């Protein structure tokens, strides 16, 4: 369910370079990570529109809320809706990026499970 192909960036990159790469990939979010893929921050659409010369370290939302892969999709969808989160990184217990879960995907799969319809193949109802 979580998208592993989410764009990533490092703290020392320039926002303008990252924004171009993110938009070219068809995304509106980017996860800031270190060399070990530990999540350090998140850039959503609003952060991506900041001044192009800013370093990612200054533009990102540091220490974003994350979910672990074992959390049910229903719980993730509920929390994302309650807190108006458009996307949330999914990480391992040591903070390594697994992927990015989009609220629209979480809500859709949670509704399918609630209605007794099977979730899309491969989703398993969890990221």
């Amino acid at each position: 369910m979580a998208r592993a192909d989410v764009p990533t960036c490092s703290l020392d990159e320039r926002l303008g370079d990252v924004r171009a790469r993110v938009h070219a990939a068809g995304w509106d979010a980017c996860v800031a990570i270190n060399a070990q893929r530990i999540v350090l921050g998140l850039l959503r659409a609003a952060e991506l529109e900041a001044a192009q010369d800013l370093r990612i370290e200054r533009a990102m939302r540091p220490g974003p809320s994350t979910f672990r892969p074992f959390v049910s999709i229903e719980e993730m969808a509920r929390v994302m809706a309650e807190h108006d989160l458009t996307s949330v990184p999914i990480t391992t217990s040591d903070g390594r990026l697994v992927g990015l879960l989009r609220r629209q995907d979480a809500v859709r799969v949670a509704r399918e499970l609630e209605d007794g319809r099977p979730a899309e193949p491969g989703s398993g109802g969890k990221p």
Side-chain angles (χ1 to χ4, degrees), residues 3-11 13-14 17-19 21-22 25 27 29-34 37-43 48 56 89 97-100:
R3 299 273 309 268
D5 62 337
V6 61
T8 60
C9 58
S10 62
L11 297 181
E13 288 186 81
R14 286 178 351 109
D17 297 333
V18 170
R19 178 174 45 230
R21 191 170 72 234
V22 168
W27 282 83
C30 182
V31 181
I33 59 172
N34 66 13
R37 296 190 53 83
I38 304 296
V39 173
L40 305 173
L42 181 63
L43 297 110
L48 287 169
I56 295 305
L97 180 64
V98 172
L100 189 74

Side-chain angles (χ1 to χ4, degrees), residues 35-109:
Q36 293 76 37
R37 296 190 53 83
I38 304 296
V39 173
L40 305 173
L42 181 63
L43 297 110
R44 292 192 178 106
E47 291 80 26
L48 287 169
E49 294 308 314
Q52 69 178 7
D53 289 334
L54 275 179
R55 296 282 177 210
I56 295 305
E57 183 175 34
R58 302 230 11 186
M60 71 181 189
R61 295 177 188 215
S65 296
T66 65
F67 287 115
R68 300 291 180 259
F70 60 80
V71 175
S72 74
I73 194 69
E74 296 90 348
E75 176 70 8
M76 288 188 266
R78 183 187 63 74
V79 170
M80 292 176 81
E82 284 178 3
H83 296 280
D84 195 27
L85 301 171
T86 58
S87 57
V88 173
I90 307 299
T91 63
T92 61
S93 60
D94 61 354
R96 291 181 197 275
L97 180 64
V98 172
L100 189 74
L101 178 63
R102 292 179 172 173
R103 182 173 65 197
Q104 65 191 31
D105 294 335
V107 168
R108 178 182 45 76
V109 171

